[in-house]
Amino acid sequence: MHGYALATPPSKLPGPLPVWRVDVARAEWSALAAAVRADGGRLVSLWGSERDAAAAVSAAYATGAGLLLARLALDGADDAYADLSPWFPAAACMQRAIREMLGLRADGARDERAWLNHGNWPRDYHPLRAACSGRETFAPAPAAYPFVRVEGAGVHEIAVGPIHAGIIEPGHFRFSVVGEKVLRLEERLGYVHRGVEKRFEGRPAAAGVRLAGRVSGDSTVAYAWAYAMAVESALGVEPPARAAWLRALMLERERVANHLGDLGALGNDAGFGFGLAQFSRLREDWLRTHAERFGHRLLMDRVVPGGVAVDLDAAGAARLDAECVAVEASVRALETLYDEHAGLQDRFTGTGRVSAELAATLGLCGLAGRASGRPGDLRVDHPCAPYDALAVRRVVETGGDVAARVRVRFRELHESLRLIRALLAGLPGGDVQVALPHGGAAAAGIGWIEGWRGDVLVAVELAADATIARCHCHDPSWQNWPVLEHAILDEIVPDFPLINKSFNLSYAGHDL
């Protein structure tokens, strides 16, 4: 890791990915952010920690050479660190969350409104502070949120949520409109706070994967793999080759399941119920195969530190291969139907456009980023085994609208089906799991996996007895929720469900 002027050179962490770690001085904190930005890098995640009364804030940057983890030690729990949002706008909400979880303040931040605390916690209560343990019982007092008001003739507000018609998770959307034209959208999330990060503390490293796999249920394989990778890196464990291939097999099947569901829902939101019916049928059959061959419809608890918890026999592999062939034929027929359907294309094309310039400025990542010309994909850029042997084909579109996000899903679906067949054909023999050591020295590890929505990061700090001292899980929705506020500008209110679904961001993954 070269090219950044740091007093201490970064050291490479053990593990399958290029990850470097460096302790930075206060003056280097913002200088490093500026240098990464100038070099074309992006902020992956930002989080705080407290251990033995010592506080710190960490930033993970994606660079051309890999992941750079910068840690800034603070003088105390009430100390401040420099605001990173001038270089990475996505840092703003992450910093607000850090302030509420740990009381650590970003000096100079323009937006210091509450984010996770809806008024139900006392102002001096910070869930991840050791001094606040035992104070979890208090009377809720919900507070009004100071939304930004838009003034002007004919401007009025439409409040949507947090409770929605259906079974989606809670989130509030405040539209400022003239007629049906949207002038501003402001989101208010944080309604599903479950105390996940606090629940990690003190758990055995091997057991934490069950919690990690439930951060966002539609990405359970991605989170479990990232968590397992972090623990394995910290403990110096290498999973068997067969386990790595099975992990990738399950990750690609998770990607296919979500793309099938989204393509049906997007058709339905544009008034094409037939598309919803057909893609729902394909997805349901796909999930039933998960239950049949892996023991769980969503593949929960299949990936574990040290390997995987389930193997696949020859008959199962043949069954999965045949299913890929059948699904590929069905998807291609439906893709042709979507492409030639004038009504769908009228609703998709030009709607919810995010330009490449705006995507770069705001740090749009993952599937939505690739639809706006942002090519990042860890399976290509920094492939771990077995992706380093599969030559993954990068999928990029430049339109930046709903149509482009639909095309990315179709193209990634085809690529994942190809990868699944290649994984089945090349699946090595051998064991599927190795044992973890029960202790040693305190250690830290990072896991970084390209989930279906984007890159998932898990940072783990282990105590000497191999229990969890701190675990931070990051969802790509942190980067992408703010971009949705821009994608709806100058569109009409009825197009919001379609634009929102084309991003399909995680509420729970954004709010632990």
Side-chain angles (χ1 to χ4, degrees):
M1 177 68 66
H2 303 287
Y4 301 114
L6 297 169
T8 304
S11 57
K12 190 178 185 304
L13 291 179
L17 290 175
V19 179
W20 281 264
R21 182 185 183 278
V22 63
D23 290 320
V24 299
R26 188 176 298 274
E28 294 176 315
W29 176 252
S30 53
L32 177 59
V36 170
R37 179 74 192 201
D39 196 35
R42 64 183 179 88
L43 176 69
V44 176
S45 187
L46 183 65
W47 68 96
S49 59
E50 181 196 38
R51 194 167 182 184
D52 299 327
V57 63
S58 299
Y61 297 107
T63 74
L67 189 72
L68 175 59
L69 175 62
R71 183 180 182 274
L72 172 65
L74 301 177
D75 294 335
D78 297 322
D79 199 4
Y81 58 95
D83 172 26
L84 297 187
S85 63
W87 300 280
F88 301 103
C93 284
M94 300 182 206
Q95 292 171 166
R96 291 164 68 185
I98 290 171
R99 182 168 187 176
E100 298 195 313
M101 297 302 289
L102 280 152
L104 307 176
R105 185 175 63 85
D107 189 26
R110 291 185 298 172
D111 190 351
E112 293 189 319
R113 292 175 295 172
W115 187 241
L116 301 177
N117 185 0
H118 287 239
N120 294 317
W121 310 340
R123 293 289 295 179
D124 63 345
Y125 174 75
H126 306 289
L128 294 183
R129 290 271 294 273
C132 292
S133 294
R135 291 186 53 201
E136 285 75 17
T137 301
F138 30 74
Y145 184 73
F147 287 97
V148 176
R149 300 295 299 272
V150 177
E151 306 291 344
V155 178
H156 66 283
E157 290 184 342
I158 301 175
V160 178
I163 306 303
H164 302 275
I167 59 171
I168 67 171
E169 295 174 271
H172 183 91
F173 302 92
R174 184 68 58 93
F175 298 86
S176 298
V177 303
V178 171
E180 288 193 327
K181 182 180 179 180
V182 178
L183 303 180
R184 178 182 174 86
L185 167 63
E186 190 170 0
E187 302 154 352
R188 175 69 166 130
L189 304 176
Y191 293 91
V192 293
H193 190 72
R194 298 159 288 163
V196 170
E197 290 184 304
K198 186 67 176 178
R199 289 181 64 85
F200 272 114
E201 294 179 6
R203 287 176 177 247
V209 70
R210 286 182 55 82
L211 190 54
R214 286 159 175 78
V215 165
S216 187
D218 59 9
S219 302
T220 183
V221 177
Y223 272 101
W225 192 351
Y227 176 86
M229 181 186 292
V231 169
E232 290 158 1
S233 298
L235 296 178
V237 171
E238 182 177 353
R242 185 175 179 85
W245 285 66
L246 287 170
R247 286 176 176 181
L249 175 66
M250 288 187 272
L251 185 68
E252 295 308 316
R253 287 193 63 93
E254 180 172 81
R255 195 182 316 275
V256 168
N258 283 288
H259 286 351
L260 290 173
D262 280 358
L263 287 168
L266 284 161
N268 191 59
D269 281 349
F272 189 52
F274 177 78
L276 175 64
Q278 293 305 309
F279 277 110
S280 295
R281 173 183 61 82
L282 292 172
R283 181 176 185 272
E284 177 60 24
D285 288 343
W286 193 260
L287 297 183
R288 290 182 182 185
T289 301
H290 285 174
E292 173 190 338
R293 296 298 172 181
F294 298 103
H296 196 287
R297 285 170 57 87
L298 299 181
L299 302 174
M300 283 187 173
D301 306 322
R302 307 300 92 181
V303 176
V304 297
V308 294
V310 62
D311 204 349
L312 183 68
D313 60 20
R319 167 76 173 84
L320 299 187
D321 188 85
E323 184 179 43
C324 286
V325 174
V327 168
E328 174 77 11
S330 296
V331 169
R332 290 204 179 276
L334 287 166
E335 184 176 11
T336 299
L337 187 58
Y338 271 46
D339 287 344
E340 296 177 354
H341 193 289
L344 283 182
Q345 293 307 313
D346 180 64
R347 291 294 306 280
F348 290 170
T349 304
T351 304
R353 187 183 300 278
V354 178
S355 69
E357 294 75 18
L358 181 61
T361 298
L362 297 182
L364 187 66
C365 65
L367 180 152
R370 290 190 287 276
S372 290
R374 300 273 288 169
D377 186 331
L378 292 182
R379 299 173 300 166
V380 181
D381 300 328
H382 305 293
C384 64
Y387 288 111
D388 55 355
L390 295 176
V392 179
R393 299 166 185 166
R394 193 191 303 272
V395 173
V396 182
E397 293 283 342
T398 58
D401 53 3
V402 172
R405 292 186 281 275
V406 168
R407 286 195 298 273
V408 167
R409 283 178 167 87
F410 271 117
R411 291 178 61 193
E412 287 195 353
L413 231 170
H414 298 313
E415 177 63 2
S416 288
L417 291 170
R418 183 190 73 82
L419 290 173
I420 291 169
R421 299 192 71 193
L423 287 160
L424 292 168
L427 189 63
D431 296 331
V432 297
Q433 192 174 353
V434 296
L436 301 180
H438 296 296
I446 292 282
W448 196 26
I449 291 294
E450 187 70 34
W452 74 271
R453 188 179 275 118
D455 54 328
V456 167
L457 181 138
V458 175
V460 169
E461 296 178 22
L462 299 181
D465 62 354
T467 60
I468 302 168
R470 177 77 168 96
C471 182
H472 170 73
C473 300
H474 179 87
D475 194 273
S477 298
W478 279 98
Q479 273 81 357
N480 293 357
W481 273 117
V483 184
L484 179 62
E485 295 179 340
H486 292 261
I488 187 62
L489 296 183
D490 294 328
E491 303 285 0
I492 60 174
V493 174
D495 275 339
F496 178 70
L498 178 63
I499 297 170
N500 188 20
K501 174 55 67 175
S502 73
F503 282 82
N504 194 2
L505 305 177
S506 174
Y507 297 82
H510 179 276
D511 173 26
L512 306 185

